Amino acid sequence: MIRILTLLLGLTLAQGAQAQQLANRLFGAQDAPSRQQPMPVGSYARGCAAGLVQLPESGPTWQAMRLSRDRNYGHPELIGFLQALSVAATQVGWKGLYIGDISQPRGGPMTSGHASHQIGLDADIWMLPPPRLNLTVRERETISSIPVRSADQRSVTRNWTPSHHALLRAAASDDRVDRIFVAAAVKIEMCKTARRSDRAWLQKIRPVAGHDTHFHLRLKCPRGARLCQTQTPSVAELSKGGDGCDETLTWWVTDYLNPPKPSGKPSKPAPRAKTPREFTMADLPAQCVDVLNAR
Ligand SMILES: [Zn+2]
């Protein structure tokens, strides 16, 4: 009896200690997915993921890049989606896709880069149309993607082509996709060139800082994924039901680049929220402890 009590106390203490540890260290140290039913847990930027699967390093129409990072794991629905999208890429004239970071083997916050990509439903896709799909492991560490946005952030570069537009349109038209993040200049260009009669998908293309050499694709919570937190506001709310080619988009190439002088009294800065890199296990949904410790 005493032994059991000591054991239980030990477990509780161990869990208590784990709760205070940095989540990105613990999740970053995992080298295999949990053998659990696939389940995104929490939100894209605060969560973890059970039962992820690895995107094979190479396929007929894709290659996973930067393998040393060990971030080519995703929810089975996302992995299937990416493989299908790489086939769709051949229809716009590409050989396939170079796929960047997805998630760590059990998701969770990362020690470097991304705030999101935590629940196995986000993936970065290179803007570089693959010149070939037999890159060596070493080449995949060293080659770089190409910028499709100018250094001054105001326009697209010559690297942007109609095939990029067609690929993004194909991705955004899929019902499983929640949103796709691109540089504002990319969205501005797409607003100009999208056909008038076919713009509903544009709502899902969202401007964001950075993202000049890749686009970031995000799937909705899969059906029945009860621990997955749907993102709010939705893209429909953000664009008031329109295509998002509005003043909130032009803001990125006006006030964002040249902030107007503040008028009136300076307001007190809001208290800074924790960044995902500062999350402890206690900051994540409770189920992430099971995901971390599962076999
Ligand atoms: Zn990303």
Side-chain angles (χ1 to χ4, degrees), residues 6-292:
T6 326
L7 193 70
L8 282 176
L9 184 67
L11 273 176
T12 323
L13 285 175
Q15 277 175 5
Q18 197 179 52
Q20 295 317 312
Q21 285 179 47
L22 282 176
N24 64 357
R25 297 253 174 88
L26 295 169
F27 278 98
Q30 296 295 324
D31 56 11
S34 68
R35 289 194 222 157
Q36 295 171 298
Q37 285 284 91
M39 179 62 73
V41 181
S43 67
Y44 299 91
R46 190 192 284 263
C48 63
L52 295 187
V53 295
Q54 190 172 23
L55 175 72
E57 294 176 4
S58 295
T61 47
W62 76 86
Q63 285 201 288
M65 306 301 281
R66 304 287 191 265
L67 297 172
S68 64
R69 298 197 204 190
D70 205 25
R71 292 177 179 175
N72 54 332
Y73 297 83
H75 188 280
E77 190 165 299
L78 175 61
I79 299 304
F81 181 89
L82 292 172
Q83 289 170 326
L85 187 65
S86 72
V87 174
T90 64
Q91 273 134 44
V92 308
W94 292 21
K95 289 193 168 73
L97 298 176
Y98 285 158
I99 298 174
D101 284 2
I102 308 174
S103 285
Q104 302 178 129
R106 300 185 187 202
M110 300 189 187
T111 49
S112 65
H114 324 286
S116 64
H117 289 253
Q118 294 190 30
I119 56 174
L121 296 174
D122 292 288
D124 287 343
I125 297 165
W126 284 26
M127 290 290 194
L128 173 68
R132 56 195 175 88
L133 287 167
N134 59 353
L135 299 178
T136 63
V137 170
R138 189 165 164 70
E139 285 170 322
R140 287 188 246 182
E141 295 296 325
T142 52
I143 74 161
S144 299
S145 187
I146 47 169
V148 295
R149 186 212 67 197
S150 63
D152 71 5
Q153 306 189 39
R154 293 176 186 279
S155 54
V156 289
T157 66
R158 286 205 317 227
N159 295 327
W160 176 258
T161 64
S163 63
H164 286 88
H165 180 103
L167 178 67
L168 280 159
R169 175 177 169 275
S173 301
D174 192 294
D175 190 50
R176 289 167 289 181
V177 171
D178 181 64
R179 62 196 74 194
I180 298 173
F181 297 107
V182 295
V186 166
K187 167 118 189 180
I188 291 171
E189 182 66 18
M190 296 183 85
C191 288
K192 278 188 216 154
T193 51
R195 267 182 303 185
R196 242 194 238 169
S197 56
D198 170 32
R199 298 176 74 87
W201 55 273
L202 254 183
Q203 189 177 76
K204 291 192 196 169
I205 308 284
R206 295 296 308 166
V208 71
H211 293 72
D212 50 337
T213 61
H214 72 269
F215 63 93
H216 174 146
L217 179 135
R218 172 169 291 169
L219 293 195
K220 295 174 186 163
C221 288
R223 238 168 207 282
R226 58 191 175 84
L227 300 178
C228 181
Q229 208 175 305
T230 295
Q231 185 170 353
T232 54
S234 68
V235 290
E237 288 163 345
L238 284 169
S239 55
K240 302 192 183 79
D243 55 19
C245 302
D246 53 23
E247 70 290 344
T248 60
L249 178 60
T250 39
W251 175 85
W252 284 94
V253 290
T254 54
D255 286 2
Y256 172 71
L257 295 177
N258 296 307
K261 290 242 156 55
S263 56
K265 268 193 258 165
S267 50
K268 260 205 194 142
R272 197 179 69 84
K274 263 191 191 181
T275 70
R277 256 178 255 175
E278 297 163 328
F279 289 165
T280 62
M281 288 303 291
D283 293 315
L284 298 184
Q287 294 90 347
C288 288
V289 173
D290 300 333
V291 173
L292 185 72

